[in-house]
């Protein structure tokens, strides 16, 4: 995930302190990997060094948590370019899950690969249920729902793959160990 | 408390075995998903549980009464009064309006016309299709018909709803809206649901999932306790 761009985006509406950015991040991206305060300040520092944000208001001497930041013209242009570029659709198959099945087939037998697939399917299913409960909660906000939807759609795709691969694992093993 | 039970249910169509000894319980108000690949016997199991099909062997009991031995008339009365049934394609009566379709199960159960119409309108409202009350199925989209059919299946506040791929013909968002509402209302009135689906994301709405495979409950389907790598989530 692109934390610098997200922070630029959160500054687009006006200047903010580091702790406000952290709070806005957690609210808008509810299921993101946790973002530590230290990471917010380190990222702001780099953005400032590169001229994409500038300090606004409070003086530096009173510490980083007293400092508000704002977008510079260059920062706004960088944000625009980022939003205008589409992400490359799955340029690599870079998944630990996939790699593990391949390695299981290489070093062990069909049963080992199959029991890994079954166990992974159970774990995926459990997570799918958790996220479905989050989403079905009448108190869920649309931010919660949209984030859960994203995870659910990806788990669902993985589950389909786990399922079809379970059906192919014996033939696949024959191909790998002719 | 267990309401519905299957014990060693076996069913074949001619030489084709569809169920080869299925045992399961459904508790009051419980939402159970029945999943598994195409042809594994999900629909056959649903039909046996709902008393639409008779098993060749084994038992189906409803609140302790064996119903698979009942006459067709007695089973059909049970379906009308205690059960609700919902299929992939709503199966509304083509000649009746949406409101008349939803009111029908109540009228059959002896509810007065006015009361049945009022309840029908309430249920159409709950599924967001009150404005279609006076249209016939031929004048509605598939998704609209399915909302009406779902309203009709719940209008009698049945003890158990049997639903076979109820969102299978709907797009993802529409299907999800119908299912979310179905599950929410079923929970509110403590209607148990037997939900047949081959989609994991639909099954995830249930309290419990039963995986069938070749006419049997597949014990390797789910529920393994495995460590998570790195402890990360
Ligand atoms: N009316 C029928 N006549 C003959 N065979 C049937 C009939 N209905 C089902 N079968 C067979 O019984 C088996 C189980 O069918 P069933 O419809 O219960 O499966 P299912 O799990 O609901 O499949 P799907 O996901 O495709 O709906 C299959 O082998 C099917 O071919
Ligand atoms: Mg079926």
């Amino acid at each position: 995930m692109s934390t610098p761009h997200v922070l630029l985006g959160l500054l687009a509406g006006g200047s903010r302190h580091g702790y406000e950015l952290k709070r806005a991040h957690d609210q808008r991206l509810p299921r993101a990997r946790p973002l530590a305060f230290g990471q917010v300040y380190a990222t702001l520092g780099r953005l400032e060094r590169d001229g994409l944000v500038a300090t606004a208001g409070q003086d530096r001497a009173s510490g980083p948590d007293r400092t508000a930041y704002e977008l510079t013209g260059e920062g706004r242009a960088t944000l625009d370019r980022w939003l205008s570029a589409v992400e490359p659709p799955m340029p690599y198959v870079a998944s630990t899950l996939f790699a593990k099945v391949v390695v299981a087939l290489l070093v062990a037998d069909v049963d080992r690969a199959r029991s890994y697939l079954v166990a992974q399917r159970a774990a995926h299913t459990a997570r799918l249920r958790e996220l479905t409960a989050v989403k079905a909660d009448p108190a869920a906000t649309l931010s919660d729902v949209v984030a859960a939807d994203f995870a659910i759609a990806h788990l669902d795709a993985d589950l389909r793959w786990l399922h079809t691969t379970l059906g192919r694992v014996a033939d696949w093993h024959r191909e790998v160990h002719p | 408390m267990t309401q519905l039970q299957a014990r060693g249910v076996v069913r074949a169509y001619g030489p084709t075995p569809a169920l080869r000894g299925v045992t399961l319980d459904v508790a009051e108000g419980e939402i159970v998903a029945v999943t598994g690949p195409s042809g594994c016997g999900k629909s056959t199991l649903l039909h046996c549980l709902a008393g639409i099909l008779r098993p060749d062997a084994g038992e189906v009991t409803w609140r302790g009464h064996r119903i698979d031995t009942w006459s067709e008339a007695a089973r059909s009365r049970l379906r009308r009064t205690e059960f609700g049934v919902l299929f992939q394609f709503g199966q509304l009566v083509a000649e009746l309006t949406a409101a008349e379709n939803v009111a029908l199960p109540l009228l059959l159960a002896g509810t007065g016309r006015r009361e049945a119409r009022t309840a029908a309108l309430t249920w159409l409202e709950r599924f967001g299709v009150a404005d279609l009350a006076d249209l016939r199925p031929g004048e509605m989209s598939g998704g609209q018909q399915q909302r009406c059919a779902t309203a009709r299946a719940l209008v009698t506040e049945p003890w158990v709803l049997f639903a076979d791929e109820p969102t299978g013909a709907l797009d993802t968002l529409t299907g999800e809206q119908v299912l979310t509402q179905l599950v929410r209302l079923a929970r509110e009135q403590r209607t148990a649901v037997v939900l047949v689906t081959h989609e994991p994301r639909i099954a995830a709405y249930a309290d419990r999932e039963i995986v069938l495979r070749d006419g049997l409950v597949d014990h390797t389907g789910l529920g393994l306790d495995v460590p998570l790598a790195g402890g990360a989530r």
Side-chain angles (χ1 to χ4, degrees):
Chain A
M1 235 240 320
S2 183
T3 305
H5 292 106
V6 171
L7 294 189
L8 291 178
L10 293 173
L11 286 171
S15 69
R16 277 173 157 167
H17 288 90
Y19 61 85
E20 291 175 315
L21 285 171
K22 153 85 177 143
R23 202 169 55 214
H25 170 276
D26 293 354
Q27 187 192 357
R28 293 294 160 214
L29 299 160
R31 300 203 157 260
R33 196 184 291 266
L35 177 67
F37 274 112
Q39 213 180 329
V40 173
Y41 292 117
T43 308
L44 284 170
R46 279 193 298 275
L47 291 171
E48 187 180 18
R49 179 200 65 199
D50 297 341
L52 304 181
V53 303
T55 55
Q58 289 296 336
D59 63 315
R60 300 232 75 179
S62 39
D65 55 328
R66 306 287 304 171
T67 311
Y69 291 85
E70 62 187 8
L71 271 190
T72 62
E74 184 51 36
R76 198 167 287 276
T78 301
L79 178 61
D80 261 359
R81 274 197 303 279
W82 183 68
L83 288 175
S84 312
V86 297
E87 291 299 306
M90 196 168 288
Y92 308 105
V93 181
S95 151
T96 311
L97 192 157
F98 178 66
K100 215 177 233 193
V101 182
V102 172
V103 174
L105 266 188
L106 280 175
V107 306
D109 55 4
V110 174
D111 282 345
R112 180 73 194 269
R114 196 174 274 144
S115 64
Y116 166 67
L117 287 164
V118 168
Q120 190 66 54
R121 187 174 62 179
H124 264 61
T125 304
R127 184 71 175 138
L128 184 68
R129 301 172 71 83
E130 275 174 38
L131 290 162
T132 302
V134 165
K135 198 174 124 166
D137 184 341
T141 65
L142 217 43
S143 290
D144 293 328
V145 170
V146 169
D149 268 347
F150 187 87
I152 286 170
H154 286 77
L155 287 168
D156 190 53
D158 280 353
L159 275 165
R160 282 167 206 273
W161 181 79
L162 288 165
H163 199 79
T164 36
T165 304
L166 263 169
R168 287 181 167 146
V169 77
D171 289 342
W172 189 16
H173 191 263
R174 273 192 290 279
E175 185 182 290
V176 173
H177 301 275
Chain B
M1 180 198 125
T2 295
Q3 279 193 323
L4 185 67
Q5 272 190 329
R7 287 279 163 275
V9 168
V10 172
R11 182 63 157 86
Y13 299 93
T16 315
L19 298 176
R20 301 189 294 143
V22 172
T23 293
L24 66 87
D25 293 347
V26 179
E28 186 178 329
E30 191 182 22
I31 301 187
V32 179
V34 177
T35 64
S38 193
C40 69
K42 303 183 293 294
S43 295
T44 307
L45 176 62
L46 188 95
H47 285 79
C48 287
L49 291 172
I52 298 168
L53 276 179
R54 271 184 155 149
D56 300 329
E59 302 181 355
V60 177
T61 57
W62 166 247
R63 304 188 144 198
H65 301 286
R66 221 184 132 173
I67 59 169
D68 56 292
T69 52
W70 287 7
S71 68
E72 172 52 38
R75 283 181 284 128
S76 139
R77 187 163 52 242
L78 178 71
R79 281 201 299 279
R80 257 202 330 270
T81 54
E82 316 278 88
F83 296 168
V85 183
L86 177 62
F87 297 108
Q88 180 170 4
F89 299 100
Q91 302 192 322
L92 298 172
V93 181
E95 294 73 24
L96 300 182
T97 65
E100 289 164 350
N101 263 286
V102 178
L104 191 59
L106 292 175
L107 295 174
L108 290 174
T111 308
R113 286 206 158 268
R114 182 170 306 186
E115 200 185 322
R117 162 122 188 139
T118 307
L121 292 177
T122 304
W123 277 91
L124 286 171
E125 176 76 50
R126 287 178 182 161
F127 283 93
V129 283
D131 49 329
L132 309 178
D134 297 317
L135 297 186
R136 286 174 222 290
E139 303 165 307
M140 296 182 234
S141 77
Q144 292 166 340
Q145 290 181 43
Q146 197 63 6
R147 286 169 196 258
C148 296
T150 312
R152 185 182 61 180
L154 287 169
V155 72
T156 56
E157 307 198 1
W159 282 108
V160 188
L161 172 67
F162 296 96
D164 196 346
E165 305 275 7
T167 60
L170 306 179
D171 69 75
T172 311
L173 184 57
T174 309
E176 202 153 85
Q177 287 166 344
V178 171
L179 191 71
T180 304
Q181 191 66 347
L182 186 161
V183 166
R184 194 169 288 167
L185 294 168
R187 287 197 197 285
E188 256 172 47
Q189 64 188 38
R190 293 196 57 71
T191 292
V193 182
V194 180
L195 175 67
V196 164
T197 179
H198 61 268
E199 292 191 61
R201 60 193 296 166
I202 298 295
Y205 282 84
D207 301 320
R208 186 156 63 93
E209 181 173 347
I210 292 168
V211 185
L212 291 188
R213 190 188 157 102
D214 295 334
L216 289 170
V217 176
D218 178 8
H219 292 285
T220 66
L222 286 172
L224 288 184
D225 273 331
V226 282
L228 277 180
R233 259 288 151 97

